[in-house]
Amino acid sequence: MASRYGDYQLEIYLNGLTGVVPSHPMTFAELERRAAETLPPWVWSYVAGGAGDEHTQDSNAAAFRRWGIYPRMFVGASERDTSVDLCGIHLPSPLMMAPVGVVGLCSQDRHGDLATAEAAGRTGVPMIASTLSQDPMEDVAARFGGTPGFFQLYTPTDRELAASLVQRAEAAGYAGIVVTLDTWVTGWRPRDLATANFPQLRGHCLANYTSDPVFLERVGEDAAPDAVVAHWAGIFGNPLTWDDLPWLRSLTDLPLIVKGVCHPDDARRAADGGVDAIYVSNHGGRQANGGIPALECLPDVAAATDLPIVFDSGVRSGSDAVKALALGATAVAVGRPYVYGLALGGADGVVHVLRSMLAEADLLMAVDGYPSLADLGPKALKDLRA
Ligand SMILES: Cc1cc2nc3c(=O)[nH]c(=O)nc-3n(C[C@H](O)[C@H](O)[C@H](O)COP(=O)(O)O)c2cc1C
Ligand SMILES: O=C(O)C(=O)c1ccccc1
């Protein structure tokens, strides 16, 4: 399928002829600056912050500067094919929206999950809907408008609850399950500690639990908010081991994607355990500081497995996405950038951020002579550190 993502550029310039300039930022730096001004301080610090002194978080974005994309001439890449197949699911582009637990709180009406789902429907960019949402997963899925969606599972210690959440995702039409492995306990986050702020402990973003029959059976239909939070805090995180993988696999026939895998040995073992895709991520640097930029982990994981690979952590632009694809990702997810778009402009703001990223990537493939994603491999890149 030929992509027309670059047309967003023309649309913006043509609007300019009638005096209309884009109402949302055109760079990540400006997006971040304006989101900081717009979001309530306690939401901003939670979203923007990371683990420790945020060295890993900063390194995630900086790691893209190690690589330069070779421009190739006489290619005539006038049509680009950006479509991908992810576990049998056809996607018009390799871009995805990473699961963000507090996205619900990032729009003025506190229904940011629904606005994000609407943006998925308008762009064809899939949303990976977090377990931690302001609206139940069924209501989120109802807004996908034909774009496939994924459900991200935080595996609770209560196995029946885990099974119930996955069954609900299947019934609601989600196309795949993403199990996050790196966050069964919260990392050391100085910004949140300094403000003694943790949104879920204040009762936010627990709609998937309070709408779940198993959870309600445990706490009682009329449980007080404090009792809900206390029960949630008690069952939220399950420190899974390899022995749990057969059980996880048995929960669903949908594609199973494991998120947070950064070591090639873990990728091999997960593949042996029957998962359908590996999601390379260090949670945007929110969980462990002193780590490795996620992009640096990507080539080794890609070399270790034939499974499709989803990548996130530090992607801030279309050229970042192209580099991750060249280093072995099948699909690339963004976190904070679309959340900031949501904060500034609701669903329209998310659509703007996604279309801008897609347009930049598409035009880069045109200018640099890469007509399809298959043309983007390690040879498209120069290691500027070597
Ligand atoms: C505020 C916030 C909340 C997040 N919540 C979740 C979550 O609920 N589940 C999950 O798997 N990852 C969660 N993540 C991690 C993202 O899925 C993703 O790995 C990360 O944001 C990617 O890095 P980036 O923000 O640099 O693009 C969250 C990230 C942020 C910023
Ligand atoms: O904030 C996060 O990154 C996140 O996903 C999370 C959710 C619940 C508990 C701890 C971390």
Side-chain angles (χ1 to χ4, degrees):
M1 189 181 76
S3 96
R4 306 292 305 245
Y5 293 118
D7 288 356
Y8 193 39
Q9 181 197 53
L10 187 61
E11 192 179 312
I12 291 172
Y13 287 141
L14 289 177
N15 282 337
L17 299 179
T18 58
V20 178
V21 295
S23 45
H24 303 302
M26 294 307 311
T27 63
F28 178 74
E30 180 67 3
L31 195 61
E32 191 176 38
R33 196 185 63 72
R34 289 195 27 210
E37 288 171 359
T38 306
L39 284 168
W42 63 278
V43 179
W44 163 253
S45 59
Y46 183 79
V47 175
D53 71 358
E54 300 177 1
H55 179 75
T56 299
Q57 179 173 329
D58 294 343
S59 311
N60 279 340
F64 287 86
R65 295 182 184 267
R66 170 178 169 188
W67 302 98
I69 305 164
Y70 279 111
R72 302 303 302 269
M73 296 299 120
F74 281 125
V75 177
S78 58
E79 302 237 307
R80 276 82 57 199
D81 180 359
T82 58
S83 62
V84 288
D85 184 289
L86 181 66
C87 307
I89 303 158
H90 178 81
L91 303 176
S93 88
L95 196 62
M96 302 177 83
M97 286 186 274
V100 170
V102 296
V103 84
L105 299 176
C106 293
S107 67
Q108 295 282 352
D109 65 357
R110 300 257 167 120
H111 292 290
D113 301 281
L114 302 182
T116 303
E118 185 194 321
R122 285 166 56 188
T123 56
V125 174
M127 173 183 184
I128 307 173
S130 171
T131 300
L132 295 164
S133 57
Q134 283 284 94
D135 285 284
M137 64 173 101
E138 292 82 1
D139 296 359
V140 176
R143 305 280 180 115
F144 285 155
T147 297
F150 294 78
F151 177 69
Q152 177 265 326
L153 177 71
Y154 272 133
T155 315
T157 50
D158 182 338
R159 284 189 172 211
E160 268 181 62
L161 175 59
S164 175
L165 291 167
V166 171
Q167 277 159 20
R168 286 172 57 195
E170 287 179 348
Y174 285 85
I177 305 291
V178 173
V179 177
T180 299
L181 301 173
D182 60 17
T183 309
W184 55 270
V185 65
T186 313
W188 182 257
R189 302 180 180 179
R191 292 203 217 195
D192 298 332
L193 293 165
T195 50
N197 171 52
F198 203 80
Q200 289 82 16
L201 289 179
R202 296 173 185 214
H204 298 295
C205 307
L206 300 181
N208 279 327
Y209 300 90
T210 53
S211 58
D212 191 277
V214 174
F215 189 88
L216 291 176
E217 201 183 295
R218 306 287 195 249
V219 293
E221 296 274 343
D222 302 319
D226 283 2
V228 166
V229 170
H231 187 71
W232 172 79
I235 54 91
F236 168 74
N238 189 342
L240 298 170
T241 72
W242 289 110
D243 293 340
D244 295 307
L245 184 52
W247 165 74
L248 263 187
R249 179 64 277 187
S250 76
L251 287 177
T252 185
D253 291 330
L254 288 177
L256 182 69
I257 303 172
V258 283
K259 179 170 185 272
V261 173
C262 289
H263 196 291
D265 291 348
D266 292 348
R268 275 186 213 101
R269 200 157 169 191
D272 291 345
V275 310
D276 298 290
I278 304 289
Y279 193 145
V280 176
S281 164
N282 62 20
H283 214 96
R286 297 167 66 76
Q287 281 295 88
N289 200 31
I292 306 163
L295 191 70
E296 292 284 336
C297 300
L298 178 58
D300 288 345
V301 172
T305 175
D306 292 332
L307 290 180
I309 295 176
V310 181
F311 173 83
D312 80 22
S313 295
V315 176
R316 297 290 174 263
S317 66
S319 74
D320 289 350
V322 167
K323 289 177 188 179
L325 292 164
L327 290 171
T330 313
V332 177
V334 284
R336 294 181 185 87
Y338 84 82
V339 181
Y340 297 160
L342 175 71
L344 296 179
D348 288 347
V350 179
V351 169
H352 166 77
V353 168
L354 298 175
R355 288 188 77 191
S356 297
M357 220 173 250
L358 288 166
E360 187 196 341
D362 185 32
L363 292 171
L364 189 108
M365 288 169 69
V367 172
D368 278 350
Y370 298 96
S372 78
L373 300 180
D375 297 300
L376 284 172
K379 285 191 180 143
L381 301 182
K382 181 170 175 59
D383 184 349
L384 302 174
R385 230 196 269 150

